[in-house]
Amino acid sequence: KQKGGDLNSYIVAPFEIQSGEQSVTWLREGSVNMLTLALSQWTDLRVVDYERTLSLLDDEKLGDKPRLSLDDALALARRADVGVVVTGQVQTTGDSLRVIAKLYNVRSGDAMEQAQEAGALTDDPRPVFDRLA
């Protein structure tokens, strides 16, 4: 049997930073924290918390990897025994920040949904992640 929990259980993998803008590099892990908090507001979802996600990343030797492949993200999700993994990218263009999130079914590896939100590069990024959730 393929490992993967139910589709109401989520883990957020670190987002890939697709930007040379140094001011956004913290969003690799920050994305995990902010999106996990935002998704946790939904009472019908079970979301692996930030600290547990960091531990799982360390266990899988993925903590220092700048970009996680889909296979990496699926392995992380299987270890957490969740049904959905959220991956994403953070991009900057001029004075704007764009965040793209993708949901994958852990059992099949299939893409389920994609969403993107944008904001000003100088603004607090939390509302962007709240809207994504």
Side-chain angles (χ1 to χ4, degrees), residues 69-82:
S69 68
L70 179 57
D71 287 342
D72 291 337
L74 291 171
L76 180 71
R78 287 186 190 106
R79 183 145 188 156
D81 196 27
V82 297

Side-chain angles (χ1 to χ4, degrees), residues 46-92:
R46 182 177 64 82
V47 184
V48 176
D49 71 39
Y50 176 66
E51 290 78 11
R52 176 81 179 122
T53 300
L54 293 181
S55 295
L56 291 167
L57 284 164
D58 288 345
D59 292 349
E60 291 288 322
K61 309 277 187 274
L62 298 172
D64 294 329
K65 217 173 166 184
R67 183 180 71 81
L68 267 57
S69 68
L70 179 57
D71 287 342
D72 291 337
L74 291 171
L76 180 71
R78 287 186 190 106
R79 183 145 188 156
D81 196 27
V82 297
V84 178
V85 62
V86 183
T87 66
Q89 293 88 36
V90 175
Q91 302 169 341
T92 58

Side-chain angles (χ1 to χ4, degrees), residues 21-39:
E21 180 66 51
Q22 289 302 304
S23 67
V24 299
T25 55
W26 70 276
L27 286 172
R28 180 184 180 281
E29 273 185 26
S31 60
V32 176
N33 193 11
M34 289 183 286
L35 198 52
T36 295
L37 283 171
L39 287 170

